[in-house]
Amino acid sequence: MDLSAFYNQAGSYQAYIALAYGTGWALFASLAGYILWSWVNIKRRAQYLDNDEEDYTNMNGVFKSNETDRELST
Amino acid sequence: MLTRLFTLNTYKKLRHWLLLPIVLLGTALSGLGLWFAFWGSPIDYQQKETVRIMYIHVPASWLALFIYGFMGLASIGGFVWRHSMGFIYARAAWPLGFVMCVISLATGSIWGKPMWGTWWVWDARITSMFILMMLYLGYGLFVSQQQDDFSTQKKGAIFLIMGLVNLPIIKYSVEWWSTLHQPASIFRESGVAIASEMMWPLCLNAAGLLLLALALGFVRVDTLMLRQKVKRHQLWENRKAYHIGSKGAQV
C-alpha cells in the first residue's frame, strides 16, 4: 500500500520535532531546576547544624522504634 | 554486595566519586546524542524526519520503566535488609520517573499526530504508560504528605511493589493486544530490528539522559537526608525548649 500521500499531507515535520524536543527538554530542565532549588534551600536551612553525622545515625541502620516513629510523625 | 548499597557510607562514597564524572559524561553524551538525533542519523523510509522524535521519546520511556523498577527494588531492599536508605532511594527517584513518564507520553503524542493522525489513542501501550504515570503521581503525593513518617514510607513502598506488575504489562502490551503503537524493535526475542545508524544515537541519548537523571537522583537523596536532619534538629530543639520551660515553671 502506498502511504506517501498520507505522509506528504502530514505537514511540516520540523514543527513536530521542535515541539517534541522543546517539550521534553523544558520538562527535564524544570525538574532539574526544582531539584537544585530544593537542595539549595534545605542546604541553607541546615547550615546552622554543626554536627553532620549525629542526625544521620538512624538512617544507616534498622527501622527505628515505634516511639521514634511516633515522634517523627508529630 | 547488595546490602552495602543500602548503607549510608556506601552512598556517600558513591556520590563523592561519581557525581561530577556523571554530570560531565551525561552532558557530553546528551550533547553528542542530540547532534546525532538532528543531523547525524538517517531519516526513516516511511516516517521521514519525524523518526528523530524517537531519540527523546524512547530514552524517556526506557527511563520511566527503569526508574520505577529501581524504586520497586529499592523498596523491596528496604524491607529485606531493613534499611531505611531503600525507602529514601525510592522517594528520591519518584519525581525523576514521573517526569520521564510525562516526557514519554507528551513526545509520543506529538509523534502520533503526524504519523497516526491523532494526538492520543487509548491503546494498550499508551494506557499502561498512563497508568504508570498515575502510579508515580499516587506514590509521590502519598509519601510527600508526611515528610519523615516511616510508617507512611513503608505503606508507600508496598504500593510501589504492587505496582511493579504494570512493568511487564507495558513491555508486552504490544504483543498481547493489537495496538496502534508499533511492536518492540530492540528488546525482542528475534533480535534487534533497527539499523545500527539509528541504534547508536538512540543508545547515546539514553545513556546521556540516564547519567543526568542519576546525578539529579544524588541531589534528591541529599535533599531528603538534609530535610530529615533539619526536622530532627527542630524536634530536638522543641523538646529542649519544652523541658527548660517546664523546669522554669517548677522553680
Side-chain angles (χ1 to χ4, degrees):
Chain A
M1 188 169 67
D2 183 20
L3 292 173
S4 58
F6 171 75
Y7 291 122
N8 288 336
Q9 286 172 358
S12 170
Y13 294 143
Q14 272 74 17
Y16 289 107
I17 295 167
L19 185 60
Y21 278 88
T23 307
W25 281 100
L27 282 166
F28 189 79
S30 305
L31 172 75
Y34 161 73
I35 288 175
L36 292 175
W37 176 82
S38 304
W39 179 75
V40 168
N41 205 23
I42 199 69
K43 193 86 176 162
R44 201 180 295 145
R45 281 178 66 195
Q47 263 179 352
Y48 62 88
L49 306 177
D50 46 7
N51 188 345
D52 256 343
E53 300 304 321
E54 188 182 51
D55 292 308
Y56 284 154
T57 46
N58 279 330
M59 312 203 29
N60 198 19
V62 296
F63 293 135
K64 293 184 296 303
S65 67
N66 287 335
E67 187 183 332
T68 317
D69 273 0
R70 278 201 299 276
E71 282 171 14
L72 285 172
S73 63
T74 52
Chain B
M1 175 62 194
L2 266 176
T3 311
R4 291 184 66 190
L5 282 175
F6 288 89
T7 63
L8 182 65
N9 287 337
T10 310
Y11 165 75
K12 279 186 165 179
K13 277 181 198 163
L14 282 173
R15 185 202 53 190
H16 179 74
W17 291 110
L18 291 180
L19 187 56
L20 187 62
I22 62 174
V23 169
L24 295 175
L25 192 60
T27 309
L29 289 181
S30 291
L32 198 61
L34 278 176
W35 183 85
F36 272 106
F38 290 134
W39 299 286
S41 61
I43 60 170
D44 184 69
Y45 80 102
Q46 266 194 332
Q47 303 192 41
K48 305 287 188 299
E49 293 281 344
T50 59
V51 76
R52 301 192 188 287
I53 297 174
M54 173 180 71
Y55 302 111
I56 188 167
H57 171 73
V58 173
S61 310
W62 283 347
L63 269 185
L65 267 70
F66 175 78
I67 292 171
Y68 194 91
F70 167 80
M71 287 165 66
L73 290 178
S75 300
I76 292 171
F79 281 117
V80 171
W81 288 290
R82 300 177 69 77
H83 278 293
S84 51
M85 282 304 284
F87 303 129
I88 290 173
Y89 288 149
R91 250 184 79 190
W94 89 262
L96 291 158
F98 174 70
V99 167
M100 289 303 158
C101 208
V102 174
I103 293 173
S104 164
L105 287 170
T107 54
S109 174
I110 294 165
W111 196 2
K113 181 61 182 166
M115 291 299 101
W116 299 341
T118 179
W119 295 101
W120 189 267
V121 60
W122 290 101
D123 81 353
R125 170 58 68 85
I126 301 167
T127 305
S128 51
M129 276 304 279
F130 185 80
I131 290 169
L132 182 68
M133 187 183 74
M134 289 293 127
L135 287 173
Y136 272 124
L137 195 60
Y139 169 80
L141 291 177
F142 181 70
V143 293
S144 302
Q145 295 302 309
Q146 293 283 342
Q147 295 288 350
D148 294 311
D149 179 356
F150 271 70
S151 67
T152 304
Q153 291 196 34
K154 283 187 267 183
K155 285 174 195 160
I158 292 168
F159 176 79
L160 271 181
I161 293 165
M162 286 166 65
L164 283 174
V165 73
N166 192 39
L167 297 187
I169 293 175
I170 294 172
K171 164 71 184 147
Y172 294 107
S173 57
V174 287
E175 294 175 24
W176 292 343
W177 294 284
S178 172
T179 58
L180 195 53
H181 192 284
Q182 68 175 63
S185 308
I186 296 167
F187 299 112
R188 58 188 213 140
E189 284 175 16
S190 50
V192 175
I194 183 172
S196 60
E197 295 89 345
M198 292 177 173
M199 181 71 185
W200 287 112
L202 191 59
C203 291
L204 273 178
N205 279 289
L209 203 58
L210 173 68
L211 291 177
L212 291 179
L214 188 59
L216 288 176
F218 277 128
V219 179
R220 270 282 294 171
V221 173
D222 280 3
T223 305
L224 291 179
M225 291 200 302
L226 276 173
R227 201 179 280 169
Q228 204 162 39
K229 181 178 167 182
V230 167
K231 190 162 184 178
R232 288 213 178 103
H233 185 80
Q234 282 169 348
L235 280 170
W236 177 248
E237 288 295 319
N238 290 346
R239 195 181 298 167
K240 263 199 315 193
Y242 174 76
H243 283 297
I244 290 168
S246 46
K247 274 183 188 168
Q250 283 170 6
V251 172

